Amino acid sequence: MNCLAPSILSADFSRLGEELSVVEKCGITMLHIDVMDGMYVPSITLGFPVIKSIRKNSRMLFDVHLMIEEPERYIERFAECGADLITVHAEASVHLHRTIQQIRQLGKKCGVALNPATPLSVLDYVLEDLDLVLLMTVNPGFGGQVFIPAMYEKIKRLRGEITKRNLKTDIEVDGGVKASNTKAVLEAGANILVAGSAVFEGDIEANVREFQRILQVV
Ligand code: DX5
Ligand code: ZN
């Protein structure tokens, strides 16, 4: 199923609860939560207290994107705080297979993220264990960047591999997704679209409705 996962990175944090209820009321079922540690990526964003607090008022699936070094150190804590899906970067976890098992043992959905320059081959021996692959379509660290066009080909190749192996793995794209490129991204084979600035800048409800309109047509 195709869906939009708004990224709270671009929300107004002084009104976070209100802005999240707006997207949830529009029918959004998946929320993308970007955690950055100032090491794996230059920025520092949010952590346990924020996730725990928004968990109390939301039924959306919490899609926690860990842009942190050695994410295995914190998997359990994020699970306790209310993450439903935990995504780690392949580049940040030396023993990726073990980290994936750790997430699964906690009963959470598991995703692996790849930076734009990271080849798909790092997934060769773990793809079967994943619920989702997150393809970064900008270099991680900041919202509001421009989608890297070479990533269309990467999405297509990954969709081809998933189909070849007869899997149901979701492909999530993250970075520079706008209403204007949604159709092309879906046609390349992605089915979960993360959008931060394109959702939270301006009229949130109108932005979500526009994405939903396109998702229904494609
Ligand atoms: C970037 C984050 C993204 C970010 C996307 O490192 O992983 O989730 O919020 O922001 P936009 O949609 O503005 O490119
Ligand atoms: Zn993200």
Side-chain angles (χ1 to χ4, degrees), residues 8-45:
I8 65 169
L9 192 59
S10 297
D12 176 349
F13 278 41
S14 70
R15 305 178 58 243
L16 188 56
E18 290 161 57
E19 296 199 347
L20 296 188
S21 358
V22 173
V23 297
E24 196 160 4
K25 278 195 189 113
C26 289
I28 293 295
T29 55
M30 185 165 175
L31 186 70
H32 188 81
I33 301 171
D34 287 303
V35 178
M36 303 186 188
D37 67 352
M39 289 293 287
Y40 182 66
V41 287
S43 308
I44 298 179
T45 53

Side-chain angles (χ1 to χ4, degrees), residues 76-91:
E76 210 169 330
R77 294 284 306 279
F78 282 106
E80 282 165 13
C81 287
D84 298 300
L85 162 65
I86 299 176
T87 296
V88 297
H89 269 263
E91 308 87 353

Side-chain angles (χ1 to χ4, degrees), residues 87-133:
T87 296
V88 297
H89 269 263
E91 308 87 353
S93 184
V94 175
H95 301 289
L96 182 62
H97 182 273
R98 182 187 289 151
T99 307
I100 293 167
Q101 305 314 318
Q102 204 187 336
I103 298 172
R104 302 205 75 86
Q105 275 159 18
L106 289 163
K108 301 297 170 188
K109 290 190 169 195
C110 180
V112 167
L114 304 184
N115 286 334
T118 304
L120 291 172
S121 58
V122 301
L123 300 173
D124 275 358
Y125 298 98
V126 293
L127 192 56
E128 271 78 4
D129 297 326
L130 304 179
D131 296 291
L132 172 148
V133 176

Side-chain angles (χ1 to χ4, degrees), residues 32 34 65 67 134 174 194:
H32 188 81
D34 287 303
H65 177 194
M67 283 162 276
L134 188 167
D174 186 4
V194 174

